[in-house]
Amino acid sequence: MHSAAAPGLTFRDATDADVDALVALIESAYRGDDSRAGWTTEADILKGQRTDPEGVVEVIESPGSRLLTVERDGRIVACCQLEHRGEYAYFGMFAVSPTQQGAGLGKTVIAEAERQARETWGVSEMRMTVISVREDLIAWYERRGYRRTGQMSPFPYGDERFGIPQRDDLQFELLVKKLG
């Protein structure tokens, strides 16, 4: 589906054929030296993996869940998870290629995700969790209308599927946005 608001971008649901490209995209946006090309890197707070093929397949195949995939010139440049959770949608697994960051692509993707969640599921709220020490990222979401709730949940220390923490104060904060 081409977006009138974003010429040159194609938004579609991920398929099993996209798994390897999506894992590579997500890893490149958050972990390792490649992630330092963009501003969303977590390389200083987490080592190891951000996701794996099994985690991506789980999102793709889970009922009430979609992995919105964004292509430019036939190449996957961004993605995000949308999951229907009753009155609200959960937004996660958001990644923008580090070489594409800082030019408005993330804003376009999150706006399209909100629109699709509203139109597809009729939800009036979007929720997400962000590592609380990621002040720059939280500020970016706040500029998009998300608000901090102060509600924290523990980081899964010891579960290397989510990375290897480099500090002992990691937790997730719930961010919420009312969808108009």
Side-chain angles (χ1 to χ4, degrees):
M1 168 190 111
H2 288 281
S3 170
L9 295 180
T10 303
F11 292 83
R12 63 176 177 78
D13 287 338
T15 68
D16 289 344
D18 298 318
V19 170
D20 290 341
L22 288 165
V23 170
L25 168 70
I26 294 162
E27 293 298 311
S28 75
Y30 291 98
R31 302 290 161 78
D33 287 335
D34 287 350
S35 70
R36 296 182 195 283
W39 68 272
T40 61
T41 185
E42 294 173 342
D44 294 328
I45 61 171
L46 290 159
K47 302 248 184 278
Q49 70 179 35
R50 170 74 186 249
T51 192
D52 55 29
E54 294 76 21
V56 172
V57 168
E58 189 177 312
V59 172
I60 291 171
E61 295 180 352
S62 181
S65 178
R66 307 168 57 196
L67 190 52
L68 188 61
T69 301
V70 185
E71 292 181 332
R72 176 179 280 145
D73 300 323
R75 208 175 108 250
I76 296 174
V77 294
C79 68
C80 66
Q81 170 192 12
L82 290 172
E83 186 176 317
H84 188 206
R85 296 186 180 175
E87 296 293 309
Y88 68 93
Y90 179 80
F91 179 84
M93 209 174 270
F94 184 33
V96 174
S97 171
T99 61
Q100 307 273 320
Q101 291 177 19
L105 179 57
K107 284 184 233 183
T108 300
V109 173
I110 199 167
E112 179 64 16
E114 291 166 356
R115 186 191 71 74
Q116 288 196 26
R118 244 187 350 263
E119 289 184 9
T120 304
W121 297 316
V123 296
S124 59
E125 188 175 86
M126 186 84 87
R127 296 183 186 181
M128 69 176 75
T129 55
V130 179
I131 297 174
S132 63
V133 299
R134 300 287 320 275
E135 294 291 340
D136 54 345
L137 185 58
I138 291 171
W140 187 87
Y141 285 122
E142 288 179 311
R143 291 191 299 275
R144 313 274 97 62
Y146 288 80
R147 66 173 179 74
R148 299 181 85 155
T149 64
Q151 265 184 266
M152 301 293 178
S153 57
F155 186 87
Y157 283 93
D159 188 343
E160 291 189 5
R161 290 177 309 150
F162 299 98
I164 303 165
Q166 301 302 296
R167 43 193 292 179
D168 62 5
D169 62 344
L170 302 182
Q171 57 186 341
F172 294 106
E173 182 170 2
L174 177 67
L175 275 57
V176 176
K177 179 180 181 177
K178 294 287 182 206
L179 302 178

